[in-house]
Every structure is written in C-alpha cells, then in structure tokens.
Amino acid sequence: MQNYQKELEKLLEKITKEGGVPTLLLHSCCAPCSSYVLEYLSQYFKITVFYYNPNIYPEEEYRMRVKEQERFIGLLNTRYPVAFAAGRYEPQEFYSAVKGYEAMPEGRERCFLCYELRLREAAAMAKAQGFDYFTTTLSISPLKNAVKLAEIGLKLAKEYGVSYLLSDFKKKDGYKRSVELSAEYGMYRQDYCGCIYSRQQREQEKKERALNVSEE
Ligand code: SF4
C-alpha cells in the first residue's frame, strides 16, 4: 500500500522550499476529527474548512456538530488564517447516494458512496473558488478506509482539475493527538460516525455489550 503520509510530507517539504502559502479547501466531518488536521496543516496552508455532511442524522446532531466546528476554529491559534464555510444540509442527497446499500455494515460500499458524495462537493467548490488543493479530514479515523479515500480523491481531482492532498492523518499519532485536543478543548465527541445506520449499529453494539456484562 502506498504511504500517503510520506507523500504528504514530500509535498509539504516542497511547499516549504518554494516559500508560498497555497490555499486548501478542507472538508471536515466534525470538530474532533478536524482538530489535529488543522493544527498540522495550518502551518503550511491558508485553509477553509468546508462543512458539507448531509449524511448526519438527526438534524439536532448536525446542528451541534456545525456549532462545535465553528467554536473550535475560533479558539485554535494558527500560523495562517483558517476560515469556515458551511455547505447545504439536505439529507435527501445522502439517502439518494447510498440507495440500495443502506444495510451494509460500517466500512463497506455505503461508506465509499458517502465519502464520494462529500468529496465531490468539496472538489466542485474548490474548482469554483480557485483553491490550490482540496482534501478531507476523514482519513484520521481508524474506521475509515484511507485507500478508498485516496482513490476517490484522485479520481475527482482529475475530473475537476484541482489537486487532491493525499493523506492518512491517523499516522504519526494523528488520531491520538485528535483525542488529546478534543479533551483539551472540551469538545463534544459523538460515539457514532454520523448517519442513521451507523447510529443504529452503535446502539445495537451497546445493547449487546450490556447483555454480555449482565450475563457474566
Ligand atoms: S457510517 Fe459514516 S461514512 Fe459510512 S455511510 Fe454512515 S456516515 Fe457515511
């Protein structure tokens, strides 16, 4: 498997040598996942955090996550400025994208379609607004497929003509750092990925765990 973290490091070295500060549209799924990524990449890029997540269920959860994302950006001290842009919240876009794959467990085709829906919106916006790069925070999660994310990102980069920043943010203790930052900033940290199916799966797992404990 290609080492995406190494690829990213090579690019960051090149950017540093050239002395410029490129613009990056960073799709974010939630404040906790964005925390380490922003701490890391804001040393090299002028970032706009793009919050486009029609997959999130229910709406109150969505509102809470957007609010937390904006609050965190406001608190974080960065070398270069970080801006925020909220996308549409039209859950039907998610349900149409994953139609026929609803029952899949987390980490399979339903998720790949969900990645693509969100990355496509980011690629389109990056193109329309003239960003140098686009990427997503999603690869920080140990539950997300970094290979699929890279495959989708590179495909969209070709389609839209904007460079995709390869990443595997969980590497170099990225995930661990995001947990530390979440605690440091007292962040709201949800226990399910986002969609109704991941919430049902998590509830089921909790029930099963509780049952196992009571049987012991
Ligand atoms: S589990 Fe997460 S990535 Fe997968 S479809 Fe649901 S919200 Fe999207």
Side-chain angles (χ1 to χ4, degrees):
M1 176 181 142
Q2 204 181 342
N3 189 325
Y4 304 120
Q5 174 59 30
K6 281 266 170 335
E7 298 284 327
L8 177 60
E9 283 169 19
K10 263 194 247 159
L11 180 77
L12 296 179
E13 226 176 85
K14 184 170 163 266
I15 288 172
T16 309
K17 260 193 209 146
E18 288 170 356
V21 188
T23 53
L24 168 69
L25 187 68
L26 174 67
H27 165 265
S28 171
C29 57
C30 61
C33 286
S34 76
S35 59
Y36 160 76
V37 180
L38 282 174
E39 182 183 67
Y40 181 32
L41 294 183
S42 63
Q43 300 169 58
Y44 305 92
F45 297 93
K46 275 183 235 144
I47 300 176
T48 296
V49 171
F50 181 45
Y51 199 86
Y52 171 70
N53 298 292
N55 50 313
I56 296 172
Y57 173 88
E59 187 167 345
E60 304 84 77
E61 174 73 20
Y62 174 84
R63 301 276 161 229
M64 208 139 70
R65 292 193 196 189
V66 181
K67 222 167 114 198
E68 196 62 347
Q69 180 70 76
E70 285 192 85
R71 184 180 77 88
F72 175 65
I73 293 171
L75 290 174
L76 188 70
N77 276 324
T78 54
R79 180 172 182 195
Y80 298 115
V82 176
F84 175 76
R88 296 180 304 279
Y89 179 59
E90 287 176 15
Q92 199 45 51
E93 292 178 358
F94 168 71
Y95 295 115
S96 304
V98 302
K99 201 165 170 25
Y101 294 88
E102 294 88 343
M104 290 253 160
E106 190 170 337
R108 302 273 297 278
E109 281 77 358
R110 186 189 72 227
C111 297
F112 306 156
L113 293 164
C114 180
Y115 302 165
E116 177 155 354
L117 171 71
R118 293 182 281 166
L119 272 173
R120 181 173 290 284
E121 189 74 10
M125 178 163 165
K127 175 72 184 169
Q129 299 196 7
F131 281 84
D132 297 312
Y133 294 89
F134 76 103
T135 196
T136 174
T137 58
L138 285 167
S139 71
I140 197 157
S141 162
L143 295 172
K144 300 288 180 300
N145 186 322
V147 175
K148 270 283 163 197
L149 282 166
E151 195 184 295
I152 294 166
L154 292 174
K155 179 183 86 170
L156 294 171
K158 244 195 209 163
E159 229 180 277
Y160 287 85
V162 190
S163 299
Y164 180 71
L165 203 72
L166 285 168
S167 75
D168 195 356
F169 293 121
K170 67 181 86 52
K171 293 279 163 65
K172 290 188 85 181
D173 281 339
Y175 179 70
K176 190 168 159 251
R177 180 68 186 142
S178 76
V179 174
E180 282 167 12
L181 283 165
S182 303
E184 199 179 305
Y185 286 85
M187 270 184 219
Y188 164 64
R189 206 178 164 87
Q190 62 282 344
D191 71 348
Y192 67 105
C193 183
C195 66
I196 187 166
Y197 315 112
S198 61
R199 187 164 130 146
Q200 286 164 348
Q201 190 179 329
R202 199 63 75 244
E203 277 164 9
Q204 185 60 31
E205 286 162 3
K206 278 196 235 163
K207 260 191 222 153
E208 283 166 14
R209 264 201 303 275
L211 209 65
N212 286 342
V213 169
S214 67
E215 280 171 3
E216 275 169 16

